Amino acid sequence: MGSSARKKREKTKDFQVRFSLPSRLIANKLMNWPQKQKLKVGKAKPKAENHTNTSFRSQAIVLNQQLDIKAPSQSAVFLHQISLLNSRSDSQRRDALASLTTYVASSLPASGLPVPTSSLLSSICPLMLDGSAGVRNQLLKLFRALPCEDVRDHVNKALPYLRAAMTHLSRDIRLSSLDFVSFMIKAAGPELISCPGGWHQTLECFTTVLGWRLNDASRWSASKASFAGDPKSTARIIQVLAEFLHAGLVTDERSPSRTSAMLAGFPLWEVETLLVPGKSNAYAYLNLFGPQPEDENQILDDQQDRLQDFARNFQAPILAGIDAARKEGGELGRASGLLVKILERAKSS
């Protein structure tokens, strides 16, 4: 018998044995066989019993730069904060000003600044025109932290930005500029009004903001002293204007004894004219070596010169504005009354 016949016979025998089992045993075998799991559409595949969740994230401290024993010096940090003043982020500019304020308040007057004051003012003065109120408020804190002597020596650097802020298109910047002007008057009043254009051009800014200007000789440009319908803001502007006029037109009050100046200095009269000047460039108002300045940019170092310029160019519109403010009453009336007192003291001084 060949091998093929033997294999055929064994296969037939196996078939007969398999199907000769009882039907109940076959059913049990079929039930115990592994069934293929049916998956439903739209549902995730079930996870295995030994599945481990690895989607969590452990807490860690990430350092952009490894700590170095050679930390940057305070001067390097100060210069870095100055460079951040040109950042596009409002919060970064505000934080840089806060860091500079802390450094200035803690270092001066024991030690000087890493940079000259003129360089520092050149970097921070443009921020008077910043659109963020937080940046402007922090800038004012930095100005108050600086020594008044440094501000007096470089007030001419801040004056152009002061005037630009006073006449800015943004209402908030115009109102914030009043705080800077008030600070400059208190910290460096004589230097502010005696620098080139410090008197005439600043008064023009005040009259422009208030609307107290003349279109021609017989017609006022504004009949009311209100500032865009906000009497409170207008009153604040009038108060700062009164401070400015007091610094420029009112001389120091005499002593209670009213002793004559000549008798008080006897027998040494007018000695101060023979002494060495106490300020730098004392004869700048003579303009000996510079080009002929315009009337608006002249240095009005004398109180009488400022009074004449005020009477010639600003007295009429300011008096008309005061009359309009008094008619409105309230805060405007009180502020205009203060301004009238300053003008009366200027005439009597």
Side-chain angles (χ1 to χ4, degrees), residues 9 19 23 97 111 144 164 202 209 216 261 303 311 325 346:
R9 187 173 62 253
F19 284 90
S23 60
L97 287 173
S111 59
R144 290 172 177 170
T202 307
V209 172
D216 51 53
Q303 186 259 352

Side-chain angles (χ1 to χ4, degrees), residues 69-218:
I69 298 177
K70 297 180 180 179
S73 61
Q74 294 293 332
S75 301
V77 174
F78 189 87
L79 295 175
H80 176 65
Q81 297 298 334
I82 291 179
S83 65
L84 293 179
L85 297 178
N86 297 323
S87 174
R88 294 184 178 181
S89 174
D90 298 345
S91 59
Q92 200 166 18
R93 294 196 301 271
R94 184 185 66 249
D95 295 342
L97 287 173
S99 177
L100 294 176
T101 304
T102 304
Y103 182 89
V104 170
S106 60
S107 300
L108 296 178
S111 59
L113 297 177
V115 297
T117 307
S118 59
S119 177
L120 177 62
L121 290 178
S122 300
S123 301
I124 65 177
C125 284
L127 295 179
M128 294 182 189
L129 308 175
D130 197 281
S132 173
V135 174
R136 297 194 301 272
N137 294 334
Q138 190 61 48
L139 177 62
L140 183 60
K141 295 179 181 179
L142 177 56
F143 270 115
R144 290 172 177 170
L146 291 173
C148 294
E149 295 78 9
D150 295 342
V151 178
R152 294 191 192 103
D153 295 339
H154 305 92
V155 68
N156 57 338
K157 292 184 176 294
L159 186 58
Y161 298 100
L162 280 175
R163 293 198 294 258
M166 292 177 65
T167 56
H168 201 272
L169 294 177
S170 174
R171 179 190 184 89
D172 295 336
I173 295 178
R174 291 200 304 269
L175 294 178
S176 298
S177 66
L178 300 177
D179 297 330
F180 291 103
V181 175
S182 180
F183 166 76
M184 287 294 177
I185 293 173
K186 296 176 182 177
E191 289 77 12
L192 176 65
I193 60 179
S194 61
C195 64
W199 174 255
H200 187 93
Q201 293 184 355
T202 307
L203 276 179
E204 281 190 342
C205 292
F206 274 111
T207 54
T208 300
V209 172
L210 290 170
W212 296 353
R213 300 296 298 271
L214 282 173
N215 289 337
D216 51 53
S218 60

Side-chain angles (χ1 to χ4, degrees), residues 188-265:
E191 289 77 12
L192 176 65
I193 60 179
S194 61
C195 64
W199 174 255
H200 187 93
Q201 293 184 355
T202 307
L203 276 179
E204 281 190 342
C205 292
F206 274 111
T207 54
T208 300
V209 172
L210 290 170
W212 296 353
R213 300 296 298 271
L214 282 173
N215 289 337
D216 51 53
S218 60
R219 184 179 179 184
W220 306 110
S221 61
S223 59
K224 291 186 178 181
S226 59
F227 178 65
D230 189 358
K232 185 175 181 180
S233 301
T234 306
R236 173 60 177 160
I237 298 173
I238 295 176
Q239 291 175 0
V240 179
L241 175 60
E243 295 177 3
F244 185 78
L245 293 178
H246 182 273
L249 300 180
V250 180
T251 57
D252 296 335
E253 296 182 356
R254 298 179 181 179
S255 59
S257 60
R258 297 183 179 179
T259 306
S260 175
M262 296 184 65
L263 295 178

Side-chain angles (χ1 to χ4, degrees), residues 262-273:
M262 296 184 65
L263 295 178
F266 180 83
L268 302 176
W269 294 335
E270 299 181 357
V271 180
E272 62 276 1
T273 59

